[in-house]
């Protein structure tokens, strides 16, 4: 079993006497997973559990299951163009949530050109990937966390021509309250296109799916330049769209965009 640590968020499980009433009681927490697709037929990941921790302590103690889990093997490439899967949905104690941990099984595979390969996780990766969010959960509020799996950078072909595929997870964790999304449809839909935007020095990107749809998740409110880069074999050129406005909690739909 692989235990993949995903995110020191912030806010949950503390109930001290000197706390404000807004952190007494429970908060509704949902955890969803989506994907920025890569150039594979399938990338299948077995999810067993979603766990949380009540503080920002980096030790491996204090983990509990969030409960009400939807375990299963998920093809990440089905989760594109704004499609997500609900992994966990439950009431949890309000207060400081330290971390969230995605627990994976060993039934992880990648399909390339119709051939299925094991998707291995090197032992060095078993300590996981931690992402800081720092947010206190208020009593009675609902928090929707989105785990955005970047397949293009998470699946690595082993050097030396061995044909082995390794999982080096690259995951962004965002919330609806503190970010929005950019969506659009690229024409012609038969051309795989990479949509990208720079956010505070970090490049956020996603390929179009089979319907030509892309969605860039976890984009904070602001005005951005979206770059659409088609497959070089198509002979089409890059399309740059400026002044794309994003509002927290909303999806900015750019509509249909035709590559030049």
């Amino acid at each position: 079993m692989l235990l993949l640590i995903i995110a020191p968020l912030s806010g949950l499980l503390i109930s001290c006497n000197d706390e404000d009433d807004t952190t007494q009681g429970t908060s509704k927490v949902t955890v969803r997973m989506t994907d920025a697709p890569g150039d594979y037929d399938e990338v299948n990941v077995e999810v067993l559990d979603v766990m949380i921790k009540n503080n920002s302590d980096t030790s491996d103690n204090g983990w509990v299951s969030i409960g009400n889990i939807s375990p299963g093997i998920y093809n990440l490439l089905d989760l594109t163009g704004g499609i997500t899967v609900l992994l966990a949905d439950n009431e949890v104690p309000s207060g400081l949530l330290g971390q969230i941990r995605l627990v994976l099984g060993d039934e992880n595979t990648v399909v390339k050109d119709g051939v299925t390969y094991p998707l291995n996780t090197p032992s060095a990766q078993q300590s996981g990937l931690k992402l800081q969010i720092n947010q206190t959960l208020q009593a009675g509020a609902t928090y929707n966390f989105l785990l955005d799996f970047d397949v293009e950078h998470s699946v690595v072909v082993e050097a030396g021509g061995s044909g082995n595929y390794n999982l080096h997870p690259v995951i962004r964790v965002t919330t609806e309250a503190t970010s929005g999304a950019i969506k659009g449809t690229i024409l012609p839909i038969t051309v795989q296109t990479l949509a990208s935007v720079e956010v505070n020095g970090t490049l956020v990107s996603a390929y179009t799916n089979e319907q030509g749809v892309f969605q860039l998740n976890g984009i904070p409110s602001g005005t951005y330049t979206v770059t659409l880069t088609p497959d070089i074999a198509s002979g089409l050129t890059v399309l740059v769209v400026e002044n794309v406005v994003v509002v927290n909690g909303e999806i900015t739909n750019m509509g249909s965009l035709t590559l030049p």
Side-chain angles (χ1 to χ4, degrees):
M1 178 188 299
L2 162 66
L3 296 183
L4 175 61
I5 303 177
I6 297 298
L9 299 164
S10 198
L12 195 45
L13 299 180
I14 290 183
S15 180
C16 302
N17 292 332
D18 59 353
E19 279 193 308
D20 188 290
D21 287 343
T22 59
T23 58
Q24 300 292 322
T26 63
S27 305
K28 179 70 171 295
V29 169
T30 69
V31 178
R32 292 182 177 273
M33 184 168 64
T34 190
D35 166 50
D39 189 20
Y40 299 95
D41 300 336
E42 297 179 15
V43 177
N44 300 300
V45 174
E46 183 183 23
V47 178
L48 299 180
D49 201 357
V50 180
M51 306 182 77
I52 53 178
K53 196 173 183 181
N54 66 351
N55 56 54
S56 57
D57 182 3
T58 58
S59 70
D60 205 29
N61 300 316
W63 290 100
V64 295
S65 174
I66 196 173
N68 201 21
I69 306 300
S70 299
I73 298 176
Y74 297 98
N75 177 13
L76 296 177
L77 300 190
D78 288 338
L79 308 177
T80 62
I83 298 174
T84 65
V85 63
L86 181 65
L87 298 180
D89 180 11
N90 212 356
E91 296 281 340
V92 300
S94 303
L96 178 64
L97 172 64
Q99 302 174 36
I100 184 172
R101 182 185 233 173
L102 190 64
V103 182
L104 302 183
D106 55 9
E107 296 297 321
N108 306 307
T109 59
V110 59
V111 180
K112 179 74 170 178
D113 298 327
V115 180
T116 301
Y117 302 90
L119 183 55
N120 305 309
T121 301
S123 58
Q125 293 295 317
Q126 292 183 6
S127 61
L129 174 68
K130 296 180 179 181
L131 305 174
Q132 298 289 340
I133 292 189
N134 297 324
Q135 180 179 340
T136 297
L137 304 187
Q138 303 298 319
T142 297
Y143 296 85
N144 301 310
F145 295 104
L146 181 66
L147 309 185
D148 193 350
F149 227 113
D150 186 343
V151 163
E152 183 180 27
H153 296 100
S154 296
V155 178
V156 179
V157 182
E158 192 171 282
S162 66
N164 293 331
Y165 289 85
N166 296 325
L167 181 64
H168 294 266
V170 176
I171 301 172
R172 299 173 64 242
V173 181
T174 59
T175 66
E176 289 182 359
T178 59
S179 66
I182 300 173
K183 186 175 184 177
T185 302
I186 307 301
L187 302 176
I189 64 173
T190 53
V191 176
Q192 189 176 54
T193 302
L194 181 68
S196 61
V197 63
E198 186 174 323
V199 179
N200 298 324
T202 298
L203 193 66
V204 179
S205 64
Y207 282 101
T208 51
N209 62 16
E210 293 181 352
Q211 290 73 45
V213 178
F214 73 88
Q215 182 162 317
L216 300 167
N217 297 298
I219 311 298
S221 62
T223 302
Y224 298 91
T225 296
V226 178
T227 302
L228 305 169
T229 306
D231 183 350
I232 192 171
S234 69
L236 299 175
T237 57
V238 174
L239 175 62
V240 177
V241 182
E242 299 179 337
N243 299 317
V244 178
V245 178
V246 175
V247 177
N248 287 344
E250 298 183 9
I251 298 175
T252 298
N253 194 333
M254 299 176 65
S256 296
L257 302 162
T258 302
L259 295 170

